Amino acid sequence: MIKKIQNNSILVFAFFISLVQAGTDGTIRGQVTDIDKNSLPGAQVFITELSIGAVADVNGNYIILNVPVGTYDVAVMMMGYQKQNISGVEVIMDKTIWLNFSLPIEAFEGEEVDIIGNREM
């Protein structure tokens, strides 16, 4: 009988310890595409305040794990596309926040550069 009470006490104690240590962070995940819904592999998703982020895979999917609970700004960028920011993203304990981005193309027009060189024969 005493052995059974001890075993039950240990189980109850372990349960309460697991509740105390349960989730202190959340997850942000989603997909990055262009405006035509084509995936953008290699796009960078970044939480500025925490200096953490992820890079989109070949299907444009990304996941940022172990994000502390709080409210953050999330930025996504890729060469040749406009940078986008979403402000006020609230990360909740043990929850996954889904953020999908659709980036429009951004064209840069540079100056013309002429290179003139003479080579002696």
Side-chain angles (χ1 to χ4, degrees):
M1 180 72 165
I2 294 176
K3 191 92 160 155
K4 188 173 184 178
I5 292 173
Q6 287 176 340
N7 287 343
N8 288 341
S9 298
I10 291 172
L11 288 175
V12 170
F13 180 73
F15 175 74
F16 283 116
I17 291 295
S18 67
L19 285 179
V20 169
Q21 293 184 356
T24 58
D25 53 27
T27 302
I28 298 176
R29 70 183 317 167
Q31 186 176 37
V32 183
T33 61
D34 63 10
I35 56 174
D36 296 325
K37 301 297 179 202
N38 298 315
S39 63
L40 293 177
Q44 300 173 5
V45 183
F46 192 72
I47 302 173
T48 329
E49 296 91 341
L50 300 175
S51 298
I52 62 173
V55 176
D57 65 11
V58 293
N59 297 317
N61 298 314
Y62 71 91
I63 183 167
I64 305 173
L65 300 170
N66 302 322
V67 181
V69 172
T71 303
Y72 305 105
D73 296 336
V74 180
V76 63
M77 60 194 94
M78 183 165 181
M79 181 94 59
Y81 293 87
Q82 287 182 1
K83 178 181 177 182
Q84 283 188 355
N85 290 308
I86 296 181
S87 298
V89 176
E90 187 176 352
V91 176
I92 301 169
M93 180 174 36
D94 289 339
K95 298 288 182 188
T96 298
I97 307 300
W98 288 85
L99 294 178
N100 295 320
F101 295 91
S102 182
L103 303 180
I105 293 175
E106 181 175 60
F108 289 102
E109 190 171 318
E111 297 179 24
E112 184 176 317
V113 177
D114 291 327
I115 299 175
I116 301 172
N118 293 328
R119 182 173 174 187
E120 305 241 350
M121 304 256 330

